Structures are given as C-alpha cells and as structure tokens.
Amino acid sequence: RLPPRGGLLNPLLYALIVETVGTMGGYLTGITVENPLLPQAKLSTGLMIVLGVLIPIGVVLSLFLWSVLLHVSLLLVSGAKEDFEATFRVISYTSAADLFNIIPIIGSLVAICWKLYLLLIGVREVHRIGTGRAAAAIALPLLLCCGIIAAGSAIAVMGIIGSAQ
C-alpha cells in the first residue's frame, strides 16, 4: 500500500530516525550484553558523540546509494515501472527492520533477513513486477558489492604474496 509518490522528505526522515535509533541501540546493547559472535569495541564518550554524528550522515548517504543501485538494477531487469522516488521510498521504509538491532546477539541477523524480505515485497508491489524480477534486481547490487570485496581481497592477497617473495 506504499504510494510510489509523495515526496522524499517523509521517508528520509523516517529512515534517518529509525536507522539511527536501531544502530545506536544495537551498539549500546552490544556493549552491555557480551556477544561471543560479534565483540563490540568500548568507545570513549568523545568517540560515542562522534559516532552519534556520523551515523545519521552514513544513513542518508547509504539510503541514496542503495536507492540508486537498486533503481539501476530495476532498469537492467526491466522492472522499473515507477521512477526513482518510488524506489527511494521502498528503501527508506524498509529501515523499520533496523530496530531489531537492539535485540542482543541475534538482532542484527533478524534485521538483515527482515529487511531483505520487506525490500523484496516492497519492490515487487510498488513496481508491480514479479517476485523473481524483484529478487534479481535486489541481488544485482549485492553481487556487485560482493564482487568488489572479493576482487579487492584477491588483489590484497596477491600483493602480500608478491611482497613476501
């Protein structure tokens, strides 16, 4: 039922608030409840303040970056039935899942899974495309990022091996 139009400001503010709260809450929970799977660094008060300023900036940048990547992917799979605004709105409102980050130990895993599910349904419904096409559009940016990380890792390993010889 998400309208594809209605402006960018409300979705942006929603995502900014929810993702900032989820990220900071997840970090604070991680400090108080030891997670054997993902240890948290203990930060000074000054670094916490810096983090509190940088997180909202990162949220805004990531919203626009992921929206552009997803919309380009939708164009590549012929699934962009709506304009960029619709894609941005879907990305923004999937931020609701980030509140699961507050749950100790499993919260981040739940958040990622729920966010991907919401993204799949949101893209499918807003752009009026099939589930397979929506999944392909979502997978393309994820595969691109994984490919870049794998290539960078391979280059780093080859550099280390080359310098060791």
Side-chain angles (χ1 to χ4, degrees):
R1 295 184 180 157
L2 174 68
R5 289 181 185 62
L8 299 180
L9 184 60
N10 285 341
L12 175 64
L13 291 175
Y14 176 83
L16 185 62
I17 292 167
V18 171
E19 281 196 43
T20 300
V21 168
T23 303
M24 287 301 289
Y27 184 77
L28 294 173
T29 303
I31 290 173
T32 57
V33 177
E34 291 295 323
N35 183 348
L37 304 175
L38 186 66
Q40 297 280 334
K42 308 282 191 243
L43 298 178
S44 67
T45 304
L47 285 175
M48 284 296 288
I49 292 170
V50 169
L51 191 63
V53 171
L54 291 179
I55 286 173
I57 293 169
V59 166
V60 171
L61 292 175
S62 68
L63 284 172
F64 280 101
L65 176 66
W66 279 109
S67 296
V68 166
L69 289 173
L70 180 58
H71 199 70
V72 168
S73 295
L74 283 163
L75 291 169
L76 290 173
V77 300
S78 301
K81 308 288 189 227
E82 296 289 340
D83 59 4
F84 174 79
E85 180 182 351
T87 305
F88 181 82
R89 292 171 66 83
V90 170
I91 292 280
S92 295
Y93 287 121
T94 61
S95 298
D98 287 321
L99 292 176
F100 282 110
N101 286 324
I102 297 171
I103 300 171
I105 301 173
I106 63 164
S108 58
L109 179 63
V110 173
I112 290 169
C113 293
W114 189 245
K115 195 168 199 165
L116 285 172
Y117 174 75
L118 291 176
L119 189 57
L120 179 68
I121 300 304
V123 167
R124 183 187 73 191
E125 296 301 317
V126 167
H127 287 280
R128 299 176 315 279
I129 59 176
T131 304
R133 194 170 293 212
I138 292 166
L140 280 174
L142 297 175
L143 291 173
L144 175 68
C145 290
C146 291
I148 290 171
I149 291 169
S153 299
I155 290 169
V157 167
M158 288 188 306
I160 291 169
I161 291 171
S163 66
Q165 292 178 356

